[in-house]
Amino acid sequence: MVREGSSPGSPGPASPVVWAVPPVLTAAAAAVAVALVPASARTALLWVSVVAFAAVAAACTAAARRSRALDALRATAAAQRAALAHQEAETVQLAEVLLPDIVARLRKGEFPEDVLAALDESYAHRPGLTPEFASAHQAVLRSVVDAVVAEEDLRESAQRAFVNIARRVQAIVHQQAQELRDMEERHGRTPEVFGDLLRLDHGTALIGRLADSIAVLGGARPGRQWSKAVPLYSVLRGAMSRIIDYQRVELHSVSQVAVVGPAVEPLIHALAELLDNATRYSPPQTKVHLTAVDVNSGIAVEIEDGGVSMSEEARKRAERMLRQAQQGIDLTDLGETPRLGLAVVGRLSQAYEFQVSLRSSAYGGVRAVLVIPQGLITSAPAATAVAHGIGTASGPRAALEPAAGRAAAEAA
């Protein structure tokens, strides 16, 4: 076995007794020689023996001293190697454990002061670290904390700016929609004017949806709020009213339930984004099928298109985008030509516990399934009439009953 601190094949430290053996042997040999030689030569031999003994004793003393110095150097080198190994382990822990943990804690909302205080306390109780090394590590950690805090502040500032811009657009859209509905009331008896106003109302709804998407990505909720439950059928029609090709959507069987008020607008918006994807990425002559059925965990809303089926890689990439959005997507990750749909659906799913999955469709395209949890569903009669507008009725106001006419004006 090789002793720690020594190189393979090198001798270990010599005992002090070992270095006393040569002088003793020299003295013994000199005594024997003096006793055996004639009396005339004894004096000269004695002096030679004394000189030889002194030389050997001096050489052994010097060798012993150097041996002790070498042992001290070996011990010092071993201690330095152990210290370097410990510092290397601490540096690896800094890179692989401490820094990711700090970034995660700060992004979860912990105060920087609390994180730094915990780090200072941790380093105060770590043995084997020199004060200079511990101070250097703490300086690195403080720099990282400052950088992450600055990045988070910049992100929050950008998100607030996006939300403020979106809210301004929403206010303008709401005012324009109200004016259009007033015009529909005044000019509803003229079919041509009424049709033009409906198209303008539809375009206004599309602008409002885009503003809502920006607000959702900025961390806010969609603009409109519903205080009372709304029938699921009306919610689905409201989602249809917010896409360009709403006439391609075929609404099939719908469960006879209602959606609680706070979840109405987020659900309409999420379904509108999925419907928009289905119509946008499928041939214009095909239909998009919309169905809502009861399942054990709630209500499953299925959207199936007749486009090109997604490859397994594309499906995994889309679901990864949904998961990333649920965890919190950075606005800078959207790119120069952002595709907002799945990002918005992911954020809304995270906030309202929707479950979204993408599979191959029986029609050859993609089937998107959004499951509404039981907590957002009620079987009680909805207190509000409708949440949908476009496509509710195709004729002018004169041909409609008052209730149906009002339903056509309630564009989502």
Side-chain angles (χ1 to χ4, degrees):
M1 180 179 293
V2 179
R3 185 182 65 85
E4 181 180 359
S6 64
S7 59
S10 63
S15 171
V17 178
V18 174
W19 299 111
V21 172
V24 171
L25 292 178
T26 302
V32 172
V34 169
L36 294 178
V37 299
S40 61
R42 287 178 182 174
T43 302
L45 181 59
L46 180 61
W47 283 107
V48 171
S49 300
V50 170
V51 171
F53 176 80
V56 171
C60 290
T61 302
R65 186 182 304 111
R66 291 182 179 180
S67 176
R68 288 193 298 271
L70 182 60
D71 290 341
L73 288 176
R74 286 174 176 171
T76 302
Q80 289 177 346
R81 281 194 294 270
L84 288 175
H86 183 59
Q87 292 179 356
E88 181 181 357
E90 289 290 336
T91 302
V92 171
Q93 185 182 22
L94 172 70
E96 297 181 355
V97 179
L98 288 180
L99 290 180
D101 179 64
I102 288 173
V103 173
R105 290 170 62 183
L106 290 174
R107 288 182 173 173
K108 287 180 180 178
E110 289 193 37
F111 292 106
E113 296 80 6
D114 296 338
V115 175
L116 289 174
L119 290 173
D120 292 341
E121 183 178 357
S122 173
Y123 271 93
H125 294 84
R126 288 191 181 185
L129 292 181
T130 63
E132 295 80 6
F133 188 82
S135 299
H137 267 213
Q138 289 174 297
V140 171
L141 293 173
R142 289 179 183 276
S143 298
V144 171
V145 169
D146 293 339
V148 173
V149 170
E151 179 186 356
E152 290 298 316
D153 290 343
L154 182 61
R155 179 184 291 110
E156 291 179 3
S157 177
Q159 289 180 339
R160 287 193 298 269
F162 271 86
V163 172
N164 290 335
I165 294 172
R167 292 294 185 236
R168 293 181 184 180
V169 176
Q170 287 169 336
I172 296 172
V173 168
H174 179 74
Q175 180 64 31
Q176 184 173 350
Q178 186 61 48
E179 292 177 357
L180 286 171
R181 290 166 188 167
D182 293 341
M183 292 179 189
E184 291 169 6
E185 293 287 348
R186 293 196 301 269
H187 305 291
R189 296 181 182 277
T190 306
E192 294 81 3
V193 176
F194 184 71
D196 291 341
L197 291 176
L198 279 182
R199 282 192 294 273
L200 289 175
D201 200 353
H202 185 209
T204 302
L206 297 179
I207 297 173
R209 192 186 104 211
L210 179 59
D212 285 346
S213 295
I214 296 174
V216 169
L217 292 176
R221 56 164 291 137
R224 190 169 183 178
Q225 298 186 23
W226 301 80
S227 59
K228 299 178 182 178
V230 175
L232 179 60
Y233 173 82
S234 183
V235 170
L236 298 181
R237 292 296 295 273
M240 292 169 54
S241 74
R242 299 192 188 181
I243 66 173
I244 296 176
D245 293 330
Y246 64 91
Q247 293 176 332
R248 290 175 50 198
V249 180
E250 287 190 355
L251 181 56
H252 299 281
S253 60
V254 176
S255 180
Q256 299 298 318
V257 295
V259 180
V260 297
V264 169
E265 189 65 20
L267 180 58
I268 290 176
H269 195 86
L271 292 175
E273 295 293 348
L274 293 175
L275 286 171
D276 183 69
N277 280 348
T279 56
R280 188 184 300 272
Y281 299 106
S282 61
Q285 70 275 9
T286 61
K287 292 291 186 180
V288 173
H289 302 272
L290 178 60
T291 309
V293 295
D294 292 293
V295 294
N296 290 333
S297 56
I299 300 295
V301 180
E302 299 181 354
I303 300 171
E304 294 188 85
D305 64 62
V308 179
S309 181
M310 299 177 69
S311 64
E312 186 65 17
E313 181 182 356
R315 185 188 64 81
K316 290 182 178 180
R317 184 167 58 250
E319 292 193 336
R320 183 167 61 250
M321 182 181 295
L322 286 171
R323 290 194 301 270
Q324 290 175 347
Q326 291 173 356
Q327 297 170 359
I329 190 170
D330 191 348
L331 295 176
T332 58
D333 295 335
L334 297 176
E336 295 182 1
T337 57
R339 294 178 59 180
L340 305 181
L342 291 180
V344 172
V345 172
R347 290 294 291 265
L348 292 173
S349 300
Q350 188 272 337
Y352 297 92
E353 298 182 353
F354 302 146
Q355 298 178 25
V356 182
S357 61
L358 302 174
R359 296 292 183 270
S360 297
S361 167
Y363 300 95
V366 178
R367 179 179 65 159
V369 180
L370 186 149
V371 178
I372 311 169
Q374 291 284 2
L376 303 180
I377 300 170
T378 177
S379 57
T384 57
V386 291
H388 55 275
I390 299 301
T392 303
S394 58
R397 289 301 177 89
L400 303 176
E401 296 181 359
R406 190 60 201 160
E410 287 289 336

